[in-house]
Amino acid sequence: MASFKPTKIPVYPKLGEKVTQDTLYWKNYKAPVQIKEYGAVSNIDFSPVAPHNFAVTAFSRIHVYGPFSQEPVKTFTRFKDTAYCGRFRSDGQLLVAGCEDSVVRLFDVSGRVALRMFKGHTKAVHVTDFTSDRYQILTGSDDYTCRLWDIPNAAELSTYREHTDYIRCGVTSKLNRDLFITGSYDHTLKVFDARAEKSVMTMDHGQPVESLLLYPSEGLLVSAGGRYVKVWDLLKGGQPLVLLKNHHKTITCLALGSNGERLLSASLDRHVKVYNTTTYKVVHNFDYAAAILSLALAPDDESIVVGMTNSILSIKHRKHTEESKEMMSQQRRRPSYRVFVKGKNFVPKPDDYLVSKPVKEHLAKYDRELKKFNVSKALDASLEIWLRKKKPEITVGVIKELDRRGTLKNALAGRDEEQLSQLLHFVIGNIVDTRFAPIILTAAEMILDIYKSVIGQSALIDQQLLRLQNILESEINLEQELLEVLGMLDTMFATSVTRKEVPYSDVGRSNGLAQGEASSSRPELFRPPEIK
Amino acid sequence: MVEQAEIRVVHQGGSNITFREPAISSDSRFLLCASGHNVKVFSTVTEECVQELRGHADLVTGVLLRPSNHLQAYSCSADGTVRLWDFTDGILIKTYVIGYPICSIYASASHDGVIFIATPTKGYKTLDSLQLLAVHLPQTAGQLVETSDLSAVLSDVSANPATVAFGRAGEYVASTNGVQLQIFFFKKQKSFRFSLKENSCSGRSNTFTCVACHPTDDCIATGHEDGKIRLWRNFDQKREYTYRTLHWHHSTVRALCFTPEGSNLLSGGVESVLVQWRYQQESQQDFLPRLGAAITHIAVSPDGALFCTSHSDNKIVLIQSCVKVSSIIQGLVKGEAVQTDLMVDPRSKALVLNGKPGHLQFYSLQRDRLLFNLDVVQQEFIHQEGLDQFQVVMATLDGAGAWLATVEERKQETAEAELNLKLWAFDEPSQSFVLNTTVSTPHEVRITAVTFDPAARGQTSLLVSCGRDGLFKAWRLAVPAHPDDGGPSWTCDFVSAYHGLTPQRCCFSADGSLLAVGFQEVVTVWSPASWELLLTLSQPPGIIRDLCFGRLSCSKFLLGTTSSNQLCCWNLLTCSLEWSTSMEVSLLLADPLSDNMAAFCHQDGNTDLFVFKPSEPRPLFSQKAVCSGRVSRAVFAPREVALESCEESSQWLNRSQLYFLTPLMDLLTFSTRAEEERLMTASKQLVVDDSVAMTPFQLLLGKRRPHHQAAVEDPAVRPPADRPVPPGGSAAVRELLQSPAHVLPAAAALCSVFMEALLGVATETRENETSAGETPSDPEEEEEEEDSDQEMETRATRPERGLLETDSADPVLSRAQVRELRRVRKLDHSWFSSLLDS
């Protein structure tokens, strides 16, 4: 006696994003904390030392936030105009910032007043950074120059006038105190050595360069400009390695995450994309409410901070496993589970006599009814609210099985208003789903056949039927439009593709025997006719 | 023709075992069923076939236990004989020649020496009109008995054997035909007829389908086409008869049976549910559902403990007391039509074809056993007539047997046909196929052909499918991009069409470097490596029906058959037609192990076979009228051991064997004379060499056999079947030693016979020898005359002693010794039996 085979529920390919390790990792953040700043957030920088405060440059202020605080722990307001590029020194003690008024200010993190003012640029300074020996400052300005300053005596050390447009990004080497790289709106990246008079390397990005990033090993340089991210191999003399075209608006900011294993890019198209730095494939995508100007990641990806044009600062903190465990334990544990597993892990002794018990097969409710040929009840069981909402494929599978058994009509018939409205609700919800359409159309036809005599008796049912009609009409219109588009595409493809020489069988002329010929004659070798 | 004598078409395996109702032996240990020309005896415990009773020359149409002897069974056959068998030992006891083809056989315990048979009424050739005859079996000695004492009991009997049943203690016989129930009382010699209306009020047919009689009560149960069961009572009156209707089955009741005590009524039908009705309390029923296929016969063992149901899928299920299926005897499943090609599994060498609905069966031809059923559809099968369910329409195995592709279809005719292509991987640990990939709707419309690349192995496997939608698609095993997405699965690799024509056939060359696809009248040849169209060939008019690449030395040839009855052979090197001939080829087949090709040609309602090499003008072998009808399924099965036949006409059978399915779903094969001779000698050896362990008894009697065999072969000396006294002494001893112990009477009763037989052998042979004079006697014979203590000696020393004694022993007995022996024979040995009794 064979056992009952449960209804086969077809597995449909999952639409949308695939769940990978990366999506799980990057989704594991809490709901963002949003803070309103005074203006567009142009730069965010994390302090290299614990507790990893971060400086947010927005309009004429720089706010320093603690890792979990929602209020700034420190504010620098002594700017005459818009401040730019507030950056921490590698010991986290000093902070440098440029300004629209061309003065570069150096602050003590604990103080208020600027320790030093570096005057010399003639236009707004958008780029500031400390060199790795901590005693010099790199600045880049809209007057096309970049300069090195000595911190102790606030003196200008050298000036480079090689760029031909605004310098809007720059980065210093963490390993060598003399090396730094700048990117400019003249589409070039230049590598400078403080010991040399001129730039030592120039690379052409192709678009105005908005952001630069050095890998921790400093062998690779990442530049962002326009809609593209480019990766350059510095050790091979600035050879372009990868071109990433994943944004559809200008990319404004770059950041590294997960110890350099992931690259993040933020763009005016309101997306932050996460790339795998070995394959340079997008592994995750964040959406934000407005165009993004700045982005920074705390060490170990503890938080993602994003500043936007609508002057909102969004901070996402990472969820921790202890917290999620707490959430789990809060769920009520069912006592029945212990009942079920009781004795399951009992290991019999070697000389025990085992009495085997037939394993009882568990069947879903609809299968139990199908086994008893209760077709209406089986359909009812599959139309249970959570099932039809969460797993419509099960309901559709049962309808299909009933159709296969030739009893779908019986199952659909004999329903009262409430049951019928449930059924129609399901049909309306899923009839345009291409995965389910064929079978639900059959069912819908049967429903109309069965219940056409009672149309008009219930307002609820009539309303649902009208909705069904509307949905079908709009679907038909949509299909028609799509077919038209398809036709247009076909003609376009047909005209664009050059005609290929296709071997064409000219039946009856060139090959084979004409009827009545002797079987021993050798037909000619078949050749495709020439295309005129 | 010499060839036809050399090579014969024979049935090989897979015969139907559910043609007639099986019989269960009284001890419930054996099951007898008619199977083709033989009767098979199965053990009910091990499901093995323990005996095959061969002898009938035509289809066996009934098996029945002899009511007066539970160790014997009757079988009847369309060859006009009834045979009586000892089924435990497989001995034919008697053959009764009736002279007319017999359709079924019945017997009743109260009619001693009479059997009832259904034969066609004289003057009618067909099976439409049968009559029930009572045959008085003559009690004469001899194996072949002519019977002439026939008397008609009933006329107008249905051809269905289930429509005749004998009532309580054989007082009456009930028979149904159409809508009429006929009851004949033997004592009163009176018959009653009861009729029902053609159709019941619900418009379904009232026709009787089966009948059963209660063993102790006057009650007849009849089954009807509309699923009703009627219990008839008071049928010995013309007017006051009554019946009660039971209705559970939704379609035809095929089988009915009362248990021996009459406490329960069993019924079965298309639903494949065994229903047990309590007699007198019919509202209570027990069910045994999901038995697998429609029930055609039900039999109950005489003690009522074991039920057995025959099913339409050539299966016998043994059920213990209506609750538990204890064993299943499964023959080769034959559906209405085999839709898949015949294939041979390269691993198990089993034949693969459609089995139960939605299954593929793997049938071992060597062992004549079903190995396993692969559930392809994996859906509950609803046993209901007229329901359109998924069917496996195509299956193909790759060269190594590692992958299996199946195509299943539903609603083949309508537009919304449901199609699934499934790919199964062979799983080493479980030794069966495991589902790997399901492709739903691989083609928009029906699939016309699927084939694997025969040369590819492992990860490079390639499958090609052709569909009515004008496309052919190539499928490849693809490793998923993400390692956590599970194992490799099959994806579509290439899609192509050719001028909107429908591809009908596809075929790979043996090395997998070329793929030929037949698009209606055009053959296109593609390179699977680059998916380039290499060349096209065409042979108008006529649509390509079959395509086949030559093998081995003939691999440069491509053969094709067209619907305009042409068989064409193209040379692929010159891209030209090598030869063509006009013949209606229904099937073209290449032997995988040689360069031979087989073509089945349909001509004048018969099928002819031609075996040829594409490179040679003359066929190697041809046979006209292999079978009637069109052969559309055949396969070359590689032999385990190659034959070494030197006959030119049978050399093509050396490496592989050709099996084919007739339109009537009989599996036939070709066998050579050499092969048959080998089989015959093997079976003879089996008879002679019943290798009994070397016991003292064996030494005592072993070499006697030539003597008593000669005696047995002489019909005059042959003992009668009931065997009261053993005339040929050692034959009796042999019977005694070889028949199973449970068959024998008590040892006490046998003792004296046995002793006498021993003595008798000695004297008789001795006398023979003395009369012959010069026969040198065997050493063993001498030993028989020695004392019993010598017989107890070990086996090792015996032959040497025997050798020594050959010279010394006196070959001739003295008169005194003979006299002494005679005296011993006359002695009363009853004291010995009383000794045993105590």
Side-chain angles (χ1 to χ4, degrees):
Chain A
M1 190 174 76
S3 60
F4 181 83
K5 289 174 203 161
T7 309
K8 204 168 62 171
I9 306 298
V11 184
Y12 292 102
K14 273 218 181 101
L15 302 174
E17 230 178 295
K18 265 211 176 129
V19 177
T20 59
Q21 286 293 326
D22 274 296
T23 48
L24 290 176
Y25 180 82
W26 292 106
K27 276 198 170 154
N28 192 19
Y29 283 92
K30 291 183 209 164
V33 177
Q34 305 218 334
I35 297 165
K36 179 84 178 166
E37 291 289 335
Y38 291 96
V41 181
S42 62
N43 192 53
I44 302 161
D45 190 38
F46 269 93
S47 163
V49 293
H52 301 301
N53 294 340
F54 56 95
V56 176
T57 315
F59 193 45
S60 59
R61 284 159 197 253
I62 293 178
H63 291 294
V64 178
Y65 292 90
F68 296 108
S69 67
Q70 313 236 347
E71 294 290 318
V73 294
K74 186 83 192 163
T75 307
F76 301 99
T77 55
R78 300 290 172 92
F79 294 101
K80 300 272 162 46
D81 207 334
T82 313
Y84 294 111
C85 201
R87 283 204 184 166
F88 284 103
R89 200 166 78 168
S90 58
D91 56 358
Q93 296 293 319
L94 295 178
L95 183 118
V96 70
C99 184
E100 188 72 34
D101 62 1
S102 78
V103 181
V104 177
R105 291 174 174 84
L106 181 74
F107 298 95
D108 183 357
V109 168
S110 53
R112 255 167 176 266
V113 189
L115 293 176
R116 298 279 190 279
M117 310 256 272
F118 304 97
K119 291 177 185 168
H121 280 293
T122 54
K123 281 192 179 163
V125 178
H126 278 266
V127 180
T128 56
D129 206 355
F130 292 95
T131 58
S132 58
D133 63 358
R134 300 196 244 163
Y135 302 125
Q136 290 172 11
I137 288 171
L138 159 74
T139 60
S141 162
D142 284 359
D143 61 5
Y144 310 164
T145 61
C146 56
R147 300 172 195 226
L148 278 175
W149 309 80
D150 187 37
I151 293 176
N153 47 21
E156 187 184 314
L157 294 174
S158 54
T159 308
Y160 298 92
R161 299 172 197 277
E162 290 197 13
H163 284 292
T164 55
D165 208 335
Y166 301 157
I167 295 167
R168 284 291 164 89
C169 55
V171 69
T172 55
S173 162
K174 298 275 181 300
L175 305 177
N176 188 322
R177 62 175 201 160
D178 293 321
L179 279 181
F180 62 93
I181 306 158
T182 56
S184 154
Y185 276 13
D186 63 1
H187 302 187
T188 56
L189 316 164
K190 287 186 188 288
V191 182
F192 293 95
D193 190 335
R195 296 161 290 193
E197 290 289 305
K198 300 199 131 213
S199 66
V200 293
M201 205 186 285
T202 305
M203 290 154 275
D204 186 14
H205 182 84
Q207 275 85 23
V209 185
E210 295 281 354
S211 183
L212 279 177
L213 191 73
L214 264 175
Y215 271 87
S217 64
E218 305 204 337
L220 297 179
L221 173 73
V222 188
S223 66
R227 291 179 290 134
Y228 309 120
V229 174
K230 285 186 177 174
V231 184
W232 311 85
D233 193 340
L234 291 179
L235 301 178
K236 283 189 184 166
Q239 186 185 354
L241 276 185
V242 190
L243 171 65
L244 302 173
K245 300 188 228 181
N246 294 92
H247 287 282
H248 58 269
K249 280 189 184 168
T250 303
I251 298 161
T252 52
C253 203
L254 293 170
L256 278 178
S258 312
N259 288 324
E261 285 171 13
R262 297 287 179 272
L263 173 70
L264 287 88
S265 68
S267 152
L268 294 180
D269 64 3
R270 302 182 295 142
H271 293 300
V272 172
K273 306 228 178 218
V274 184
Y275 308 85
N276 185 334
T277 52
T278 50
T279 60
Y280 289 101
K281 291 262 159 59
V282 175
V283 294
H284 195 66
N285 184 34
F286 295 104
D287 286 356
Y288 283 93
I292 302 162
L293 287 180
S294 54
L295 160 81
L297 258 83
D300 298 332
D301 306 336
E302 280 302 310
S303 49
I304 302 171
V305 186
V306 163
M308 287 170 275
T309 48
N310 61 355
S311 65
I312 298 269
L313 181 73
S314 158
I315 308 161
K316 278 184 181 174
H317 291 290
R318 190 160 188 80
K319 268 187 215 162
H320 283 280
T321 46
E322 303 90 64
E323 289 167 43
S324 51
K325 261 183 194 162
E326 252 172 57
M327 294 278 283
M328 289 283 281
S329 61
Q330 276 168 11
Q331 282 183 343
R332 191 173 58 87
R333 186 180 277 176
R334 294 183 179 178
S336 53
Y337 174 74
R338 262 171 274 161
V339 176
F340 282 131
V341 297
K342 198 165 143 191
K344 278 274 165 67
N345 50 3
F346 176 76
V347 182
K349 292 188 186 82
D351 51 346
D352 280 355
Y353 179 73
L354 286 177
V355 181
S356 64
K357 196 174 73 175
V359 183
K360 201 175 177 191
E361 195 188 1
H362 175 75
L363 288 175
K365 199 174 169 195
Y366 53 86
D367 271 336
R368 284 202 297 273
E369 299 294 349
L370 277 177
K371 190 178 170 184
K372 289 185 219 152
F373 290 84
N374 293 336
V375 287
S376 285
K377 281 185 184 167
L379 187 58
D380 287 342
S382 72
L383 278 172
E384 273 174 11
I385 187 133
W386 71 271
L387 213 58
R388 68 165 198 248
K389 285 258 165 64
K390 288 247 173 71
K391 292 178 177 172
E393 64 265 24
I394 290 181
T395 315
V396 173
V398 171
I399 293 177
K400 205 170 183 176
E401 170 72 15
L402 290 171
D403 184 39
R404 185 178 73 86
R405 294 177 170 215
T407 49
L408 181 57
K409 212 159 201 163
N410 307 12
L412 293 170
R415 292 176 176 261
D416 59 15
E417 185 186 354
E418 195 190 341
Q419 287 173 317
L420 184 59
S421 94
Q422 257 187 16
L423 195 62
L424 281 174
H425 189 76
F426 178 76
V427 169
I428 288 167
N430 292 288
I431 198 160
V432 294
D433 194 328
T434 48
R435 300 174 295 172
F436 309 141
I439 184 68
I440 292 190
L441 275 175
T442 321
E445 272 172 12
M446 282 186 184
I447 291 171
L448 292 180
D449 276 355
I450 295 165
Y451 295 101
K452 69 180 169 203
S453 58
V454 295
I455 286 174
Q457 290 183 12
S458 154
L460 179 68
I461 301 296
D462 291 353
Q463 200 189 335
Q464 282 185 317
L465 288 176
L466 281 176
R467 260 187 73 199
L468 183 63
Q469 192 181 4
N470 289 339
I471 285 176
L472 285 178
E473 275 167 9
S474 63
E475 179 71 12
I476 289 168
N477 287 337
L478 192 68
E479 297 262 333
Q480 213 155 12
E481 277 174 35
L482 284 174
L483 280 176
E484 281 167 16
V485 172
L486 212 63
M488 289 182 225
L489 286 175
D490 276 350
T491 45
M492 281 164 70
F493 284 134
T495 50
S496 66
V497 173
T498 51
R499 196 151 177 191
K500 241 169 66 182
E501 204 170 292
V502 182
Y504 182 78
S505 81
D506 197 356
V507 176
R509 187 169 60 84
S510 55
N511 183 36
L513 293 173
Q515 264 184 318
E517 262 184 292
S519 61
S520 58
S521 78
R522 294 276 172 108
E524 293 165 17
L525 168 62
F526 172 74
R527 283 180 214 288
E530 300 300 319
I531 303 289
K532 278 105 193 173
Chain B
M1 248 169 99
V2 186
E3 280 122 0
Q4 270 156 19
E6 191 65 35
I7 296 179
R8 284 200 320 137
V9 179
V10 292
H11 270 273
Q12 174 121 14
S15 55
N16 196 349
I17 56 170
T18 58
F19 178 60
R20 285 292 139 100
E21 184 179 319
I24 308 178
S25 69
S26 61
D27 53 359
S28 301
R29 288 178 56 230
F30 298 105
L31 181 86
L32 287 81
C33 57
S35 160
H37 295 192
N38 307 324
V39 176
K40 279 187 178 168
V41 182
F42 290 97
S43 161
T44 58
V45 183
T46 61
E47 307 167 19
E48 292 285 341
C49 179
V50 289
Q51 288 284 355
E52 200 159 348
L53 312 180
R54 296 164 194 265
H56 281 293
D58 206 339
L59 210 59
V60 175
T61 52
V63 184
L64 193 69
L65 287 188
R66 187 179 179 177
S68 55
N69 186 340
H70 59 89
L71 294 173
Q72 296 176 356
Y74 290 114
S75 70
C76 68
S77 155
D79 64 359
T81 58
V82 172
R83 286 170 197 247
L84 181 66
W85 307 86
D86 180 341
F87 59 84
T88 45
D89 298 334
I91 300 165
L92 176 65
I93 299 169
K94 260 183 190 176
T95 306
Y96 302 99
V97 179
I98 309 288
Y100 312 106
I102 306 166
C103 288
S104 47
I105 185 167
Y106 312 92
S108 153
S110 53
H111 295 85
D112 202 16
V114 179
I115 56 165
F116 298 87
I117 55 168
T119 62
T121 314
K122 270 174 209 163
Y124 293 90
K125 285 281 171 211
T126 55
L127 292 176
D128 295 338
S129 176
L130 300 183
Q131 57 179 351
L132 189 69
L133 302 177
V135 181
H136 292 269
L137 300 175
Q139 293 292 332
T140 49
Q143 220 212 340
L144 201 67
V145 185
E146 291 277 348
T147 52
S148 50
D149 194 1
L150 308 178
S151 55
V153 179
L154 284 173
S155 60
D156 207 15
V157 175
S158 161
N160 180 357
T163 55
V164 176
F166 283 82
R168 173 167 63 91
E171 277 184 15
Y172 55 88
V173 57
S175 156
T176 62
N177 197 1
V179 288
Q180 204 167 55
L181 171 66
Q182 201 180 146
I183 299 156
F184 179 78
F185 288 88
F186 287 105
K187 277 196 185 137
K188 296 187 229 165
Q189 290 287 311
K190 207 170 164 190
S191 83
F192 294 89
R193 282 167 186 267
F194 307 102
S195 287
L196 292 171
K197 275 182 280 175
E198 275 294 336
N199 290 306
S200 59
C201 21
S202 59
R204 296 179 67 184
S205 172
N206 261 334
T207 312
F208 287 93
T209 52
C210 51
V211 64
C213 296
H214 195 275
T216 55
D217 208 351
D218 276 335
C219 175
I220 298 174
T222 58
H224 298 264
E225 255 178 33
D226 56 355
K228 283 183 182 138
I229 296 169
R230 287 188 169 84
L231 294 175
W232 301 73
R233 289 193 176 82
N234 280 345
F235 42 77
D236 51 350
Q237 273 113 16
K238 191 73 197 155
R239 293 285 164 91
E240 278 121 51
Y241 71 92
T242 59
Y243 62 75
R244 188 175 164 201
T245 310
L246 311 174
H247 199 170
W248 182 89
H249 295 275
H250 64 68
S251 46
T252 313
V253 181
R254 290 267 183 84
L256 273 175
C257 185
F258 276 103
T259 52
E261 294 83 24
S263 54
N264 290 306
L265 171 66
L266 305 171
S267 69
V270 180
E271 303 87 356
S272 79
V273 179
L274 181 68
V275 187
Q276 185 176 10
W277 311 78
R278 304 268 163 80
Y279 186 66
Q280 304 291 19
Q281 305 159 291
E282 279 87 3
S283 54
Q284 292 184 21
Q285 303 136 22
D286 292 323
F287 302 105
L288 190 66
R290 285 185 288 284
L291 288 170
I295 295 174
T296 53
H297 307 285
I298 301 173
V300 185
S301 71
D303 59 357
L306 199 67
F307 302 159
C308 103
T309 54
S310 300
H311 295 263
S312 56
D313 62 351
N314 206 5
K315 172 175 78 175
I316 297 176
V317 175
L318 292 156
I319 298 155
Q320 249 153 14
S321 51
C322 205
V323 284
K324 210 181 100 213
V325 172
S326 63
S327 50
I328 295 171
I329 298 163
Q330 174 83 63
L332 181 69
V333 184
K334 287 168 189 167
E336 295 84 59
V338 171
Q339 288 175 307
T340 59
D341 279 328
L342 290 184
M343 287 168 295
V344 171
D345 179 16
R347 283 175 195 269
S348 58
K349 306 278 180 280
L351 191 69
V352 183
L353 67 162
N354 271 142
K356 291 193 283 184
H359 287 66
L360 274 186
Q361 59 178 333
F362 287 68
Y363 195 86
S364 167
L365 292 162
Q366 281 78 30
R367 295 193 291 148
D368 197 12
R369 267 191 78 130
L370 189 81
L371 295 183
F372 67 98
N373 264 312
L374 180 70
D375 186 0
V376 172
V377 173
Q378 296 183 331
Q379 262 181 356
E380 182 76 5
F381 185 79
I382 308 299
H383 295 280
Q384 190 180 330
E385 270 164 309
L387 204 60
D388 191 11
Q389 314 215 33
F390 269 112
Q391 280 178 314
V392 183
V393 291
M394 251 165 248
T396 177
L397 282 154
D398 80 339
W403 290 98
L404 168 72
T406 59
V407 178
E408 62 199 45
E409 272 184 5
R410 196 170 87 89
K411 290 190 191 162
Q412 295 163 0
E413 305 314 319
T414 61
E416 65 232 40
E418 290 175 52
L419 269 179
N420 283 325
L421 172 68
K422 285 182 175 168
L423 286 135
W424 307 75
F426 190 79
D427 184 40
E428 285 288 349
S430 64
Q431 288 290 306
S432 76
F433 285 93
V434 178
L435 186 61
N436 178 278
T437 310
T438 306
V439 185
S440 58
T441 334
H443 288 264
E444 304 270 307
V445 210
R446 293 186 64 181
I447 289 183
T448 51
V450 281
T451 183
F452 268 107
D453 181 356
R457 292 279 182 275
Q459 295 295 310
T460 60
S461 290
L462 178 67
L463 175 76
V464 170
S465 65
C466 300
R468 288 258 171 88
D469 53 358
L471 300 175
F472 82 89
K473 300 188 178 184
W475 308 81
R476 251 182 221 286
L477 193 63
V479 181
H482 289 280
D484 44 330
D485 282 5
S489 61
W490 289 75
T491 49
C492 191
D493 185 49
F494 176 72
V495 183
S496 185
Y498 186 79
H499 293 263
L501 299 175
T502 309
Q504 300 281 0
R505 280 278 153 193
C506 57
C507 177
F508 272 101
S509 64
D511 58 352
S513 63
L514 291 176
L515 168 70
V517 185
F519 283 95
Q520 289 181 356
E521 294 162 3
V522 187
V523 181
T524 57
V525 181
W526 306 71
S527 152
S530 59
W531 289 120
E532 262 181 294
L533 180 59
L534 298 177
L535 67 140
T536 55
L537 305 160
S538 85
Q539 182 59 38
I543 292 163
I544 300 291
R545 239 203 243 137
D546 236 328
L547 271 179
C548 212
F549 275 97
R551 307 266 166 166
L552 305 176
S553 66
C554 298
S555 54
K556 64 180 176 186
F557 296 109
L558 172 65
L559 286 101
T561 62
T562 66
S563 59
S564 61
N565 302 340
Q566 288 264 328
L567 172 62
C568 308
C569 176
W570 289 280
N571 188 332
L572 292 171
L573 297 179
T574 60
C575 301
S576 60
L577 192 72
E578 191 83 9
W579 50 265
S580 79
T581 166
S582 179
M583 57 203 302
E584 191 188 348
V585 179
S586 59
L587 185 70
L588 189 66
L589 210 61
D591 184 355
L593 295 180
S594 67
D595 42 13
N596 300 328
M597 315 270 288
F600 286 91
C601 302
H602 186 240
Q603 208 164 30
D604 308 332
N606 284 325
T607 295
D608 307 335
L609 172 73
F610 295 94
V611 180
F612 59 94
K613 277 187 190 181
S615 55
E616 284 172 24
R618 284 181 54 82
L620 294 171
F621 170 78
S622 67
Q623 184 164 359
K624 296 264 176 203
V626 168
C627 74
S628 64
R630 179 183 282 269
V631 170
S632 53
R633 308 276 177 234
V635 71
F636 273 105
R639 282 183 197 274
E640 281 180 339
V641 183
L643 291 184
E644 280 169 15
S645 165
C646 38
E647 294 280 342
E648 196 187 344
S649 63
S650 57
Q651 265 174 358
W652 62 280
L653 282 170
N654 281 1
R655 305 290 300 278
S656 42
Q657 211 167 358
L658 181 62
Y659 289 89
F660 64 97
L661 271 183
T662 64
L664 297 169
M665 296 297 134
D666 288 321
L667 186 67
L668 301 180
T669 186
F670 293 89
S671 90
T672 61
R673 183 190 286 169
E675 200 180 355
E676 267 172 42
E677 273 167 7
R678 211 187 55 202
L679 271 179
M680 288 301 280
T681 51
S683 64
K684 263 180 199 156
Q685 276 169 358
L686 220 68
V687 172
V688 173
D689 175 42
D690 40 2
S691 50
V692 191
M694 285 289 278
T695 57
F697 269 117
Q698 160 72 11
L699 283 171
L700 178 65
L701 304 163
K703 290 289 162 87
R704 287 270 165 237
R705 208 163 285 125
H707 288 286
H708 72 242
Q709 262 189 353
V712 167
E713 271 153 27
D714 188 356
V717 197
R718 190 183 166 80
D722 353 5
R723 193 203 312 151
V725 192
S730 77
V733 173
R734 190 175 71 108
E735 289 279 3
L736 203 145
L737 294 179
Q738 286 183 349
S739 21
H742 65 272
V743 181
L744 293 173
L750 282 172
C751 178
S752 57
V753 176
F754 177 64
M755 296 300 280
E756 273 186 54
L758 280 182
L759 293 165
V761 172
T763 48
E764 265 172 24
T765 49
R766 199 50 62 206
E767 278 158 11
N768 283 346
E769 278 164 12
T770 44
S771 60
E774 36 42 270
T775 325
S777 58
D778 281 342
E780 278 82 5
E781 285 173 18
E782 257 73 42
E783 283 173 9
E784 276 164 30
E785 286 138 26
E786 295 187 16
D787 290 331
S788 58
D789 56 351
Q790 276 178 353
E791 288 171 9
M792 290 303 155
E793 284 191 28
T794 54
R795 214 178 302 154
T797 58
R798 192 159 297 273
E800 291 143 27
R801 281 192 46 139
L803 279 170
L804 288 174
E805 282 175 9
T806 321
D807 306 337
S808 60
D810 187 0
V812 185
L813 287 175
S814 68
R815 271 187 194 283
Q817 279 173 310
V818 173
R819 211 177 297 130
E820 176 71 6
L821 266 172
R822 287 212 177 119
R823 193 184 59 78
V824 172
R825 254 183 99 180
K826 278 177 196 143
L827 271 181
D828 188 7
H829 297 289
S830 56
W831 59 271
F832 197 67
S833 59
S834 64
L835 206 72
L836 278 170
D837 277 344
S838 60

